[in-house]
Amino acid sequence: MFAVLFMKEMDPFYQNISSFPTVIFTIIFVLMLLYWVIAVLGLVDIGFLDFGLPEVEGSTETVNVLAGLFLKFGLNGVPVTVVLTLVSMFGWLISYYADHYLLMPYTSGVVEFLLGGVVLFVSLLLSALISAQVIKPLRKLFNEATTTNSSKILGQTLVVKTLRVDAGFGEAHLNDGGAGLVLKVRANGEEKFKKGDRVVAYEYLKDKNVYRVISEDEFLGNS
C-alpha cells in the first residue's frame, strides 16, 4: 500500500496528500481519526487533551498562547480534540485542492516552498474560521452537558464506559431518559472498575468537573 508513495510516477492523490503543506494536515487528521477510534474503544477520555480554553490564567505560556488563539477564533467551548479534528479536516480539504490546482506545476525549488507556506497559512486561517461556525451549535450542547445540575446526578447509577476507571482516569454513561450523558468519573485510592461495571456518583469535584464514584453494591450496602 505504502509503496505507491515511493514510486517516481506517483498517483496524483497520494502525491498531493504527501507533499507540503498538505502532508501536515494529513498527519494531524489521521492521528485524530486514530484518536477517535481508541476513544470509542474506551482507551482514552474524550477530553484528555483539553487544557481549559476558557480559563487561560495560571497555565503555562504555551497553553496560554494556544488558548488565546482558540478564543480569538471562537474555537472555545468544546473539547480540544473536536477543534483539532475539524481544523485538520477542513485544512486538509483546502490545502489538498490548493496543492492540486496551484502548486502542482511547481515540483521543486524555493518557489514551491514559498507558495506552500502561503497555502499553509491561508488553509489554517480558513479552516479555523469554518470550524468556528461549525462549533457554534456544538458549543451549546457541550455547555449543557457540563452545566448539568450535579445534585441530580449524585446518587444516580452510571455504567462505566472506558476500559477502566481509577483515581486518575475514566468515563461513565448516565441514562437520563434521553440521549444520555458521558461523565468524567474517578474511583477512590487503589479501587478500580472495568467497562460495564455499575457505579454510583456520590461526590462532584467542581474544579475538575469530575464525579467520584463507588460500586453500586457498596452504595446499596451489599458489600
Side-chain angles (χ1 to χ4, degrees):
M1 174 182 176
F2 295 103
V4 69
L5 298 178
F6 301 97
M7 293 172 59
K8 186 174 181 180
E9 295 299 329
M10 192 185 304
D11 183 283
F13 173 78
Y14 292 101
Q15 183 178 347
N16 288 340
I17 66 173
S18 61
S19 61
F20 178 79
T22 309
V23 65
I24 297 176
F25 293 105
T26 300
I27 293 172
I28 297 175
F29 188 48
V30 169
L31 289 176
M32 294 314 302
L33 290 179
L34 291 174
Y35 159 78
W36 286 113
V37 170
I38 63 177
V40 169
L41 294 176
L43 296 174
V44 296
D45 286 333
I46 290 178
F48 89 109
L49 287 179
D50 195 5
F51 43 73
L53 293 179
E55 303 291 341
V56 299
E57 185 177 353
S59 55
T60 65
E61 183 177 350
T62 301
V63 170
N64 276 328
V65 172
L66 289 173
L69 287 173
F70 277 44
L71 288 168
K72 181 179 178 64
F73 284 98
L75 301 174
N76 59 307
V78 298
V80 176
T81 47
V82 174
V83 176
L84 291 177
T85 302
L86 290 174
V87 171
S88 62
M89 179 181 69
F90 291 122
W92 185 88
L93 289 171
I94 296 169
S95 181
Y96 176 86
Y97 285 105
D99 196 345
H100 184 75
Y101 290 107
L102 299 178
L103 302 184
M104 188 67 77
Y106 306 96
T107 57
S108 63
V110 178
V111 175
E112 180 192 19
F113 180 77
L114 292 177
L115 288 177
V118 173
V119 169
L120 175 61
F121 175 78
V122 173
S123 299
L124 278 172
L125 179 61
L126 292 178
S127 62
L129 295 175
I130 295 172
S131 297
Q133 297 305 309
V134 175
I135 285 172
K136 280 183 178 180
L138 297 179
R139 187 181 294 121
K140 182 178 180 181
L141 297 177
F142 280 99
N143 286 340
E144 288 177 352
T146 56
T147 57
T148 301
N149 191 339
S150 60
S151 63
K152 294 182 179 179
I153 295 176
L154 297 180
Q156 296 288 330
T157 297
L158 317 174
V159 178
V160 174
K161 178 178 179 291
T162 47
L163 291 183
R164 76 177 196 280
V165 167
D166 55 30
F169 174 88
E171 291 180 345
H173 180 267
L174 169 65
N175 185 356
D176 62 351
L181 294 173
V182 176
L183 307 169
K184 291 184 179 182
V185 297
R186 300 293 183 262
N188 288 317
E190 299 299 321
E191 191 172 19
K192 294 183 179 180
F193 302 103
K194 63 181 184 299
K195 187 172 184 178
D197 283 351
R198 294 171 66 85
V199 296
V200 175
Y202 73 91
E203 182 183 8
Y204 177 60
L205 305 179
K206 185 176 181 180
D207 58 328
K208 298 180 180 179
N209 189 33
V210 300
Y211 290 86
R212 289 196 183 279
V213 296
I214 57 176
S215 69
E216 186 179 47
D217 286 339
E218 182 179 355
F219 182 79
L220 297 175
N222 296 331
S223 62

